[in-house]
Amino acid sequence: MDFTERSTRVYRTKQLFTKEELAAREGLCVHEEPPFCSAACPLKLDVREFVRLCAAGDFTAARAMLERITPFARVLAAGCSAPCAAACRLNEVGEGIDIAALERAAMRYGAPKSGRGMLRFRKKKRAAVLGAELFTLSAAAEFAQKSYPTEFYVPQADAADLVRACAPFLSEEDCAAEAARLKAMDLKVHYGAQITRELYESCRQSADILCLSRGAAKALEPAAEPDEVTLLCEALGALVRPAGEEDVLTALTDARRAGVSADRIAQGMDPATLRGEEGAVTSRLYTDLSGVAPSRRKTAGHALPTAEEAQSEAARCVQCSCTECLKACPYLRHYAKSPRLLTREIYNNAGIIMGDHMMNKALNSCALCGQCSVVCPNGFDMAEICRRARENMVDTGKMSLAVHEFALYDQIFSNTEALLARSQPGFERSEWVFFPGCQAGAVAPEAVERAYSDLCGRLPGGVGIFLGCCGAVAKWSGRTELWEETRALLANELAKLGDPVVIAACPTCAGVLKEAGIPKVRGLWEVLLEIGLPDTAPQEGARVTLHDACGARGDHALQQAVRKILHGLGCEVTESELSGDKTPCCGYGGLVSCANPKMAKEFAQSIAQSAQGLPVVSYCMACRDRIAREGVKSLHLLELLYGADAGSPPGLSEKRRNRLKLKERLLKEKWGEDLAKRPLGFGLTLTEEARALMEERMILDTDVIAVMQHYHDTGEAVEDLDGGLLVTRMRLGNVTFWAKFTEDAQGYTVHRVYSHRMTVETR
Amino acid sequence: MAGEQKTYYTIDPEGRLKCCKCGVPLVKANAVFGYLDNAFPVELPVCPVCGFVYVPEELAMGKVLSVEKVLEDK
């Protein structure tokens, strides 16, 4: 199969999800849910942030937060029943944060707001408030803050009297401070007023918004009750607090409700419309408390703790938030976004017709390993979203070949040039077929060969060999056409072998083959457990860290089989923190190493770092390879079992050569066939520098050979008289490869290589 | 930035590049880079006889690569 490069002049888009599908996915992520304390606060104080500010010792900012949510913050601080403290998750492992004490500390130690605030223009609609209680006091202040010219009629003689009557629990100092605050408000208070029916009637005529104390309302209309949400009492045409005790928090919340109703009334709307979310809510947030040690309150039961006590009390807060996926996945950590946000951005990315697709790299950097779906309390699956987004891009012609081309041609190489599907010599059909996977042949061909010989000798009915790719590359890159082609190829080749049971050495291959509809697929490790370990298996064992393959996620039988085998080899296995189903990807999955090599390195590094200095044993050859690149001793279970350590990880070209050599060796040794090789017509040496550049720039030695062959045939090159090097080039597929070389009697020595995808022509 | 050169590449000094096949120095000539149906006219060292266009490594791995990346996300 060949791939054609896309054009940026094709403006096709396809919606990635329907609205409902998107909402269902986004709804799973609870990262943006409010913490339990904030959810419990009817005044909607961001308690988590408030406590954080207290912990940082910034009581002034903390105080400003309280003053923003209510006109009389000292009243709140003194009388708050703190439902947030009851909702604090620390209560489950010790004592919850004493948030009420922190409120008082913030009001005491924080500096008052300076400056005059914004210039406000008074509104035309007028408000009148009758009677003194905490609800009316606070409501009058709310109306004044909303710039309604407000008249407040109270029987008390002055501001201090009024505040004392409304909040008798306040200290003298607080009382004086709140009285001063009341005086500073743009609010006309009529002290010594008698709340009579005449006053009520005249206010009803003159004011657009009317608010009564419950006492006043009962005196006027004993049977009238307000609506619980809007607080509007139809019979009186006034806002009145509902029945029940006048708790401080309730009164302040009701005053805020009255403020919302006032706005609706002033706009001539039904006060019940568009009120938004009011009062306390339930949070779906998940917080992992497993690592939290129980602790006790530092406030020592003081109503007003010292600043130091308050600060250390606040410092106990664990700042509840759900970051389970971010903690586990290097990809999500790298983008530092919740899956919810990332999903929305990827969804929007698919809808862009012209312009920059900012999320292309992000959606191609997910390892598609499914770890998030296991660590997330709600099973958020980023892999499904990124895979569908890739398929969408391929469908609409938005996926550039550059992203996955190397891997795609690698799969095609595996399934053409390096493909070998044969029955065991002496057998027409096979009961079994060994499917080591492309990476096993590329990284540890010796171990594959020994394993195959072992299986041939011990399994009855003939064991065929299948060297090839399962199609994971096609799936991961979103190339459905190639995936279908691969499925057909697999089915066809297996049919020729007599539809044997596939023994897959790679857990990813096993999964992908099952997805491809291959009916009989078994893991190599389970088969080996059944027939017993090979005689050659070493017994001395060692201390090792086991890294589970992401392809084995959810396959507990496989995970257990591997552990049993390691136990049988006498190994002392240390489990890493994220083992079993929670295992991370090594960076090979999802073709990250192709689309974003830096990101892939972060994946491998995170595994290497958790190895605790021990050799890492894995049962996926891609893991083995990528972990070894991080400078950690890394072994595949096949290498351990068959005593065939493959040594340091091979380069890109060597991986291809290894696969070809394995095929050649097997053909020669098992079937006595020789593959005729055409020798090069010239000598070729690659310097260390050239080899390093080839790895970095993903250039294969076959590419360099083709370039030099072209030069050999045509003599086309440029001589750089400064550097003394010859430079030649050749276009192979979608890439132009360049080689800088010298020529002598032995042939060519290539010093540097580079490539570009752009075409270049003269005008 | 003030004084920054706008040309992608300058042949400096001229005559230091020679076409092996034709044995003549490369000269500055008009060429077009193309990628994903976009075309960019540039001046590059070209052999006046056979038309071999030389794309130096700094250019290929620098500006060309960055423009490729930008276009791939269009």
Side-chain angles (χ1 to χ4, degrees), chain A residues 343-412:
Chain A
T343 303
R344 176 58 69 122
E345 289 184 10
I346 289 173
Y347 170 83
N348 290 340
N349 191 71
I352 296 172
I353 297 168
M354 289 173 85
D356 288 334
H357 292 71
M358 307 296 277
M359 294 310 281
N360 281 5
K361 192 159 191 178
L363 67 90
N364 282 320
S365 298
C366 169
L368 309 182
C369 72
Q371 183 197 36
C372 45
S373 64
V374 178
V375 294
C376 171
N378 296 320
F380 200 104
D381 190 3
M382 215 49 228
E384 183 248 2
I385 290 157
C386 288
R387 213 192 61 241
R388 280 184 60 173
R390 291 180 200 183
E391 286 170 3
N392 182 293
M393 283 179 70
V394 173
D395 267 9
T396 52
K398 289 272 198 298
M399 182 73 94
S400 293
L401 258 184
V403 186
H404 296 133
E405 193 176 32
F406 189 89
L408 289 168
Y409 279 112
D410 202 56
Q411 167 173 342
I412 289 169

Side-chain angles (χ1 to χ4, degrees), chain A residues 72 122 126-131 136-137 139-145 147-156 158-159 162 181-193 195 199 203 207 211:
Chain A
F72 296 104
R122 291 179 134 209
R126 315 179 68 80
V129 183
L130 278 66
T136 46
L137 174 69
E142 290 269 357
F143 298 158
Q145 276 185 352
S147 306
Y148 294 109
T150 306
E151 312 242 353
F152 188 16
Y153 298 88
V154 290
Q156 281 75 16
D158 59 24
L162 173 60
R181 195 173 166 82
L182 175 65
K183 282 182 197 157
M185 286 175 186
D186 185 12
L187 179 65
K188 189 158 189 219
V189 190
H190 299 271
Y191 294 107
I195 314 297
L199 179 64
C203 285
C211 177

Side-chain angles (χ1 to χ4, degrees), chain A residues 608-622:
Chain A
Q609 279 158 10
S610 64
Q612 302 157 32
L614 296 171
V616 180
V617 173
S618 46
Y619 46 99
C620 163
M621 206 53 92

Side-chain angles (χ1 to χ4, degrees), chain A residues 55-71:
Chain A
D58 192 352
F59 291 111
T60 302
R63 174 176 174 163
M65 284 186 81
L66 293 179
E67 286 175 341
R68 263 197 301 277
I69 58 162
T70 180

Side-chain angles (χ1 to χ4, degrees), chain A residues 146 272-273:
Chain A
K146 286 174 182 285
T273 52

Side-chain angles (χ1 to χ4, degrees), chain A residues 5-9 356-357 360 402 697 717 719 721-722 726 740 752 754 757-759 761 763, chain B residues 16-18 20 30-38 52-53 55 57 61 67-68 71-74:
Chain A
E5 189 56 283
R6 76 183 187 103
S7 162
T8 53
R9 315 231 170 250
D356 288 334
H357 292 71
N360 281 5
R697 297 172 177 176
E719 185 179 0
L721 297 175
D722 282 334
L726 295 166
K740 288 184 169 175
R752 291 184 72 83
Y754 59 98
R757 302 183 67 86
M758 287 215 185
T759 56
E761 286 163 8
R763 279 189 282 169
Chain B
R16 304 301 296 163
L17 295 166
K18 198 179 84 181
C20 293
N30 291 329
V32 182
F33 272 122
Y35 191 46
L36 312 182
D37 274 358
N38 297 268
F52 187 109
V53 187
V55 181
E57 185 175 354
M61 299 316 291
V67 173
E68 280 174 7
L71 286 175
E72 280 158 15
D73 284 340
K74 287 286 172 198

Side-chain angles (χ1 to χ4, degrees), chain A residues 460-512:
Chain A
V463 185
I465 182 91
F466 199 131
L467 300 181
C469 171
C470 59
V473 173
K475 261 186 83 63
W476 288 337
S477 59
R479 304 266 165 185
T480 38
E481 215 178 309
L482 179 64
W483 166 240
E484 289 305 325
E485 201 176 276
T486 314
R487 278 177 60 170
L489 175 121
L490 290 167
N492 188 28
E493 291 294 334
L494 288 171
K496 281 196 249 170
L497 301 178
D499 285 322
V501 178
V502 180
I503 304 175
C506 166
T508 300
C509 290
V512 174

